[in-house]
Amino acid sequence: MFNSAGYNDINNIYKSGKRHGHSVNHIACLKEITLFGKNRRIEFSLSSQYKQSIEKHNEAVKQNRKFVGQLITAVCFLGSQGLAFRGHDESVASVNRGNYIEVLNMLARYDSDLHNHLESSTAFRGSSPDIQNELIHSVSELMTMEIKKEISKANYVSLILDETSDVMNKCQLASVLRYVTADGNVEERFLRFTDVSSDRSANSLFNHALEILNDFECGPKLIAQTYDGAAVMASQHAGVQAKIREQYPNAIFVHCYAHRLNLVLAQSASFIKEVKVFFATLSGFRTFFAKSTKRTEALDSHLRKRFPSIAPTRWQYHSRLAETVHEYREGIENLLVSIIEEPEEWDVETISSARGLLSLLRDFDFNFMLKIFSSIFPYSGALFKILQTKRSDIAFCNTKIDEFKHHMQRLRGGFDHLWSEMENVFDSNGPTRPKRIRIDSMSGEERKNSYKRLFCEIIDVVCQNVC
């Protein structure tokens, strides 16, 4: 009361002070100031056993938090590496109990507390499937919360959707949000896979997109949407992109640059007959060696290099195969010759196929096409990597596309140099001179002009469609 109304009875100050010293408020305050910083409780003073039980409980809580932290570390490690958690047999007698349990066992080798916990705990060991799923869900929820915090501070957001089939042949829709953080960093955050096998219509995918935008509260910030070129996604009238633009007019549609580059290069080049034949025959090298383990072993021992896989709509896969054949051409030829010259070591099919591939390697037309595309692929491959980089903006990508166009123009003007290299390799008097049947009757200059027209046609088709 003194601190609010003051005190003015100086004559009775001694009595007032004594009376205040016995008041409840004074005693409570004195107790608090005495115990301040000592973390003592009255229960501890009355019972030491109670104090010990509290300390024991706190120590157990501390250890459990440490164990849970190690469990979360294992979950985050497996998740970041894309590894499976469960094993086929997780029993104690199993040789391999699954990645999750094996990672915990590895950590336990260097942590005696964790080892004792895993060996002796009966209430909470942390290795059951339910615990694994709960930890995965908890980490996912925490990451989602952090993404929502970043998006709440971002001014603009773009949506990326793409479909793919998993090993169970189910159609999984990958959802990604791209935005600029408050620090100015461009981030692409993968959100989830969604099974859309039962319904892949435009309405179903549109509802899925709306659910994501509403969940992350970023609909009004949406300025772009990116998908592949499938009609259900990209159609201007009934596709997903059209339906989203009805809700969010600022969300312009951008066809995935890398996907478009693949389609344009692969489909445009296939309209040229000679190019289509070249890639069809080029794939024969990979097929020949992949068809037999003995052939693969021979390839490994001779070249120490294998042919990459190919896909009809993946231009960069063709580039890897062409670059491999071009780089290891001499070694491949020597290997095929050794197969033909050792018929007792190989079956009839292998020898016959080896003769066909060897004739290709010694064919002028094949090597002419190989030379052209070995000059194009390094630049198209670099452009593809740039378009796949999440931090590349549209202006930067357009600049690189212009650079690719300028390189194609320079390459187009260098036909004479390329022709001279081909003539040096293939002597006109040798057995491997040009074999294009429709120009066998032509003179040397006419033959050169015919190949030049083909060369320019290839360059123009690639350049025009990309740029």
Side-chain angles (χ1 to χ4, degrees):
M1 188 172 180
F2 296 157
N3 60 350
S4 59
Y7 183 78
N8 55 9
D9 190 4
I10 300 299
N11 295 328
N12 297 312
I13 188 171
Y14 174 77
K15 294 180 180 180
S16 298
K18 190 174 181 180
R19 185 170 57 252
H20 175 75
H22 291 85
S23 65
V24 175
N25 290 336
H26 179 78
I27 294 175
C29 293
L30 182 63
K31 171 189 171 184
E32 293 296 329
I33 193 64
T34 303
L35 298 178
F36 180 76
K38 297 181 180 180
N39 195 23
R40 296 186 62 184
R41 299 172 57 181
I42 190 64
E43 297 90 340
F44 295 165
S45 301
L46 298 177
S47 175
S48 59
Q49 184 176 3
Y50 180 79
K51 175 183 176 181
Q52 292 175 0
S53 65
I54 293 296
E55 292 176 348
K56 184 177 180 180
H57 171 77
N58 291 339
E59 182 64 25
V61 171
K62 181 179 179 181
Q63 288 295 327
N64 287 336
R65 288 178 177 175
K66 177 183 177 182
F67 297 145
V68 172
Q70 291 170 320
L71 299 180
I72 294 175
T73 299
V75 169
C76 293
F77 171 77
L78 295 177
S80 63
Q81 298 300 314
L83 299 175
F85 281 66
R86 302 291 304 280
H88 294 292
D89 183 5
E90 296 185 350
S91 63
V92 178
S94 175
V95 177
N96 185 349
R97 302 179 63 189
N99 291 327
Y100 178 76
I101 296 179
E102 293 297 340
V103 168
L104 292 181
N105 291 336
M106 181 189 67
L107 295 176
R109 296 175 187 174
Y110 306 97
D111 190 328
S112 58
D113 292 335
L114 179 60
H115 175 77
N116 294 333
H117 174 79
L118 295 177
E119 292 294 330
S120 60
S121 179
T122 57
F124 177 76
R125 186 171 298 177
S127 58
S128 69
D130 291 338
I131 294 299
Q132 294 181 37
N133 292 334
E134 289 182 7
L135 288 174
I136 294 172
H137 181 72
S138 298
V139 172
S140 173
E141 288 292 325
L142 183 60
M143 293 177 63
T144 301
M145 290 172 57
E146 290 299 318
I147 294 174
K148 289 182 178 180
K149 289 181 181 179
E150 289 182 344
I151 291 178
S152 66
K153 299 177 182 179
N155 294 323
Y156 308 106
V157 176
S158 63
L159 175 65
I160 304 173
L161 300 177
D162 194 18
E163 299 176 45
T164 185
S165 298
D166 60 16
V167 294
M168 298 296 293
N169 202 28
K170 293 184 177 181
C171 185
Q172 301 286 354
L173 182 66
S175 305
V176 178
L177 288 178
R178 177 185 172 100
Y179 52 90
V180 181
T181 63
D183 298 331
N185 297 322
V186 178
E187 297 291 349
E188 284 185 2
R189 300 298 192 189
F190 169 76
L191 304 179
R192 70 191 66 152
F193 280 118
T194 305
D195 185 4
V196 294
S197 303
S198 59
D199 188 359
R200 291 189 292 172
S201 64
N203 286 330
S204 175
L205 299 179
F206 167 67
N207 291 332
H208 171 79
L210 279 186
E211 180 183 348
I212 291 177
L213 297 176
N214 293 332
D215 185 21
F216 287 84
E217 299 179 353
C218 59
K221 302 179 180 180
L222 187 67
I223 62 170
Q225 46 180 326
T226 301
Y227 322 117
D228 58 18
V232 70
M233 304 296 291
S235 174
Q236 297 182 358
H237 304 290
V240 174
Q241 67 100 358
K243 294 179 179 295
I244 287 184
R245 292 203 69 176
E246 291 178 359
Q247 295 280 341
Y248 307 104
N250 294 328
I252 62 174
F253 170 65
V254 180
H255 188 173
C256 175
Y257 275 14
H259 187 263
R260 180 189 296 178
L261 177 64
N262 264 315
L263 293 177
V264 165
L265 293 177
Q267 294 182 7
S268 62
S270 66
F271 285 106
I272 304 175
K273 182 183 69 175
E274 290 83 357
V275 175
K276 190 173 184 179
V277 172
F278 167 72
F279 283 119
T281 54
L282 183 67
S283 62
F285 286 91
R286 201 265 175 186
T287 303
F288 172 75
F289 287 101
K291 196 174 181 180
S292 167
T293 56
K294 185 177 180 180
R295 300 173 194 173
T296 303
E297 192 279 331
L299 184 67
D300 292 340
S301 60
H302 280 75
L303 300 185
R304 296 182 179 178
K305 177 71 176 181
R306 294 190 180 184
F307 293 106
S309 302
I310 57 175
T313 59
R314 292 294 182 265
W315 176 269
Q316 76 273 20
Y317 289 171
H318 289 301
S319 71
R320 296 169 189 170
L321 181 57
E323 290 171 357
T324 302
V325 174
H326 182 263
E327 181 179 357
Y328 295 92
R329 179 186 175 280
E330 184 177 351
I332 297 172
E333 182 176 352
N334 293 335
L335 174 57
L336 294 174
V337 170
S338 67
I339 292 176
I340 296 172
E341 293 179 349
E342 299 175 358
E344 66 280 358
E345 298 291 335
W346 302 93
D347 58 82
V348 176
E349 181 186 354
T350 300
I351 297 174
S352 176
S353 299
R355 288 183 183 276
L357 294 177
L358 182 61
S359 66
L360 276 177
L361 284 179
R362 294 176 174 178
D363 178 67
F364 184 90
D365 287 357
F366 180 83
N367 283 273
F368 179 75
M369 302 297 290
L370 189 64
K371 185 69 175 178
I372 294 175
F373 285 103
S374 64
S375 302
I376 296 176
F377 280 144
Y379 291 89
S380 65
L383 181 60
F384 177 81
K385 291 180 180 178
I386 291 172
L387 297 179
Q388 286 285 74
T389 304
K390 67 180 182 179
R391 299 187 183 277
S392 299
D393 56 29
I394 295 179
F396 180 73
C397 292
N398 288 333
T399 300
K400 293 301 178 181
I401 291 175
D402 290 338
E403 292 178 0
F404 178 79
K405 179 179 179 180
H406 294 324
H407 169 73
M408 290 294 101
Q409 295 298 334
R410 290 194 301 269
L411 182 62
R412 192 180 191 278
F415 174 78
D416 291 336
H417 177 70
L418 183 146
W419 184 258
S420 298
E421 290 183 351
M422 293 298 299
E423 285 188 325
N424 292 334
V425 176
F426 292 86
D427 192 310
S428 60
N429 297 322
T432 55
R433 63 179 182 272
K435 298 180 180 179
R436 299 183 71 197
I437 297 176
R438 62 187 176 90
I439 61 171
D440 278 348
S441 60
M442 295 181 180
S443 64
E445 191 63 28
E446 290 175 333
R447 184 188 302 112
K448 177 180 177 181
N449 290 334
S450 176
Y451 279 96
K452 184 175 183 179
R453 285 193 294 271
L454 174 62
F455 172 79
C456 293
E457 183 181 4
I458 294 172
I459 299 297
D460 290 344
V461 167
V462 172
C463 188
Q464 290 173 5
N465 283 280
V466 171
C467 307

